[in-house]
Amino acid sequence: KKAIIDPSLFKYKVQPIKKHLYEPVIVKASQLSRRKHLFSRDRLKLFLKQHCEPHDGVIKAKATSIEKYNLAEQNFSYFFPDEPPTFIFSPASRRRGRPPKRASASLEDNIAPKQNTPGNKSKVSRERARFQKQKE
């Protein structure tokens, strides 16, 4: 297995947006940064919505994005210098979404129990039978 390469040793070729005014420049990793608040959770959600779609529980890039950015011609080593990660297979969860939040203990005390729910029918009928026996 290869040793992990220190990211500070990388040099990046920066291509200008206006290519007719400027030429590409090679810079060190320490010279690159992004402005604060430029990357946010909302922007990430927007990016995923625009360029990805779910397929059988797996998020994949849209065909239009693959074509636009020539992603089909690239591979993992084009973007990352280390070996590709090996993921352990885990079966997909059948549940969708988050589990419902439980009410706090103080709220549960104030809620009257429902007597006619299917789970309580046998309990209600047992209590009714017990009261009838007590009356006799």
Side-chain angles (χ1 to χ4, degrees):
K1 212 173 186 184
K2 285 193 230 175
I4 296 174
I5 300 170
D6 182 18
S8 64
L9 299 175
F10 285 103
K11 292 184 179 178
Y12 297 92
K13 183 177 183 180
V14 179
Q15 295 183 349
I17 295 172
K18 298 178 181 177
K19 294 181 181 181
H20 62 279
L21 294 176
Y22 305 100
E23 58 185 50
V25 180
I26 296 175
V27 296
K28 296 178 184 175
S30 61
Q31 294 174 302
L32 291 177
S33 65
R34 73 170 170 256
R35 283 180 271 147
K36 199 173 186 179
H37 306 295
L38 192 63
F39 182 76
S40 67
R41 183 181 205 149
D42 292 332
R43 286 182 185 246
L44 177 60
K45 281 184 176 181
L46 180 63
F47 172 79
L48 291 173
K49 192 180 284 187
Q50 289 176 340
H51 297 287
C52 300
E53 57 191 358
H55 285 284
D56 299 326
V58 177
I59 298 174
K60 295 186 177 183
K62 289 182 178 179
T64 54
S65 298
I66 291 172
E67 186 179 325
K68 182 177 180 180
Y69 298 106
N70 297 323
L71 297 178
E73 299 169 8
Q74 313 303 332
N75 58 16
F76 184 83
S77 61
Y78 180 81
F79 299 103
F80 304 101
D82 298 325
E83 294 178 14
T86 52
F87 297 105
I88 299 170
F89 175 76
S90 61
S93 173
R94 293 289 178 206
R95 283 187 5 197
R96 291 215 163 240
R98 294 183 180 172
K101 290 185 178 179
R102 292 192 51 184
S104 65
S106 61
L107 291 175
E108 288 175 358
D109 295 340
N110 296 336
I111 299 172
K114 293 181 180 178
Q115 297 297 323
N116 295 331
T117 58
N120 290 336
K121 283 185 180 178
S122 61
K123 191 175 185 180
V124 169
S125 61
R126 280 184 289 190
E127 287 182 21
R128 189 176 295 146
R130 187 170 56 96
F131 283 125
Q132 286 177 354
K133 285 181 184 178
Q134 285 178 353
K135 286 181 183 179
E136 293 173 359

